Amino acid sequence: MRQEWEPEDLIEVWTLLEEDQWRLRNKSGANRLGFALLLKFFEVEARFPEDAGEIPAPAVSYVAQQVRVPAEEWAAYDWSGRAIKRHRVEIRGAFGFRECAEEDQAQLAEWLAVELCGVELSRDRLAEAVVARCRKDRLEPPAPGQIARLVGRAVNTFEERFCAATVGRLSAATRSRLDDLIAEDAGTEESAGGGGTFFTELKADPGALGLDSLLAEVNRLQRVRALELPPELFADVSGKLVAAWRARAAKEYPSDLRAAAGPVRNTLLAALCHVRETEITDSLVELFIQLVQKINTRAEKKVEGEFNKELKRVRGKEGILLRLAEAAVAEPGGTVRKVIYPVAGESTLKALAAEAAANEARYRARCARCCARRTPTTGGGCSRRC
């Protein structure tokens, strides 16, 4: 419970109503103040405080004023005597609650195992769910230590069932291949699962960009698929759960996995291989895209270099073109040989034509690459209007 309270909040939550005052009629001193504080605390939290310090000091002062008992009497309230036991029974009855028996705790653990453990991995949040469920069922929740043990029992039950269901979907051959991944003497290529070496390789990220990395990833994917995991292996469980088991397997040493119980070991390895198959496929796509981009970049540089080699730039072509235009306008009826050649010789005109052709070819090549790279955000066209 929060320890800081504004005056208006104190009045709204900690004010004793007429029926509350009626329950205090036969109590006095520390017992009167203690009962009133436990009553209002239970009304808010649906549980009893663990100790006196859990009740906010402003609430102690405010309630003490209402029951006309000095606030210092709160320190004298006996937390282990018969009076507090009677007070707890009376307060539970006032709100229609009852104690959480062992049978109730067993039912809560089963509810967690069936409904929540498969989708919620945080034990703290599972404990909060237990408290909320107790409030809904009008049960006084167990002590925090008991709730922690209850949650642990539920998690163990769920994991046993999860492992049994997973192993039940694996063929004997697949289980054998999974065990070969961590076998001490299975380091050769001929082993069914690839051996301990492949288990280490399986967890590694792809190397630097290059054809070798691409081929290595292809080989890794083929070897994972050779395990023949069923496609629907984890179809009915949350991705968060599978990811947690994959992360748990990735942190284990082969010796730790060999020491684990068969169902747990097979489930850990199956989760690792199942997720890694998807991850390797994604990394293959990314490697392929990067490799194609790298090849394209090199090809572009090579083509541009060849264009530049073939291209002979004509110096002063703007002046030549100006003189050609003036000569053509001056004698529109003359022949090329008589009007044009005297201004720019045949070799100069050929050089100009070659440069224009090379520039046109390079422009079209760039437009083709632009169109090939178009994205949905450009509307499917080329911004150069080629």
Side-chain angles (χ1 to χ4, degrees), residues 80-318:
S80 58
R82 289 180 297 178
I84 192 173
K85 293 179 181 178
R86 291 196 305 270
H87 291 173
R88 287 174 180 264
V89 171
E90 186 176 347
I91 291 170
R92 281 191 218 102
F95 292 102
F97 276 66
R98 61 183 177 83
E99 287 188 274
C100 189
E102 289 187 6
E103 182 181 353
D104 296 315
Q105 294 187 35
Q107 292 176 355
L108 286 169
E110 178 66 15
W111 169 71
L112 283 180
V114 174
E115 300 292 339
L116 292 184
C117 287
V119 294
E120 180 53 72
L121 306 182
S122 168
R123 295 200 177 201
D124 289 340
R125 285 193 283 271
L126 289 175
E128 292 171 2
V130 169
V131 174
R133 179 62 184 262
C134 286
R135 184 166 196 157
K136 178 182 177 182
D137 294 344
R138 308 192 79 75
L139 291 172
E140 179 190 350
Q146 290 178 303
I147 292 179
R149 290 190 292 274
L150 185 155
V151 169
R153 187 162 67 248
V155 171
N156 290 338
T157 299
F158 170 78
E159 289 187 350
E160 288 176 4
R161 294 172 181 174
F162 174 60
C163 291
T166 301
V167 172
R169 294 172 178 175
L170 300 174
S171 66
T174 298
R175 293 198 299 271
S176 176
R177 295 187 189 103
L178 290 173
D179 287 337
D180 284 343
L181 288 175
I182 55 170
E184 287 184 289
D185 57 345
T188 62
E189 290 291 335
E190 288 77 15
S191 61
T197 302
F198 181 57
F199 176 72
T200 303
E201 178 188 338
L202 179 63
K203 298 186 289 182
D205 294 326
L209 177 62
L211 182 59
D212 291 341
S213 298
L214 185 66
L215 295 177
E217 287 295 283
V218 170
N219 179 59
R220 196 184 311 189
L221 181 60
Q222 290 174 339
R223 294 171 74 177
V224 171
R225 288 179 175 174
L227 297 172
E228 297 183 350
L229 295 173
E232 72 286 354
L233 182 59
F234 298 112
D236 57 349
V237 298
S238 70
K240 184 166 63 173
L241 176 67
V242 179
W245 280 72
R246 174 251 190 268
R248 178 176 163 187
K251 295 177 182 177
E252 299 285 350
Y253 290 104
S255 57
D256 297 328
L257 291 169
R258 286 194 293 270
V264 175
R265 179 178 63 251
N266 289 151
T267 301
L268 285 168
L269 290 171
L272 174 64
C273 294
H274 174 81
V275 177
R276 285 299 289 145
E277 182 176 354
T278 301
E279 292 174 346
I280 292 171
T281 302
D282 292 342
S283 68
L284 263 175
V285 173
E286 184 65 25
L287 278 173
F288 184 76
I289 292 173
Q290 292 177 3
L291 192 58
V292 169
Q293 290 175 343
K294 186 175 181 180
I295 292 172
N296 283 341
T297 301
R298 288 181 177 177
E300 289 172 7
K301 291 181 178 179
K302 183 177 180 181
V303 170
E304 289 184 359
E306 291 176 353
F307 274 133
N308 291 333
K309 287 179 183 178
E310 294 177 359
L311 179 61
K312 272 190 175 181
R313 298 191 178 275
V314 180
R315 304 181 74 178
K317 56 178 171 288
E318 288 81 4

Side-chain angles (χ1 to χ4, degrees), residues 57-75:
V60 175
S61 300
Y62 179 62
V63 173
Q65 293 175 9
Q66 296 179 75
V67 298
R68 297 183 176 82
V69 174
E72 293 76 15
E73 289 290 317
W74 175 233

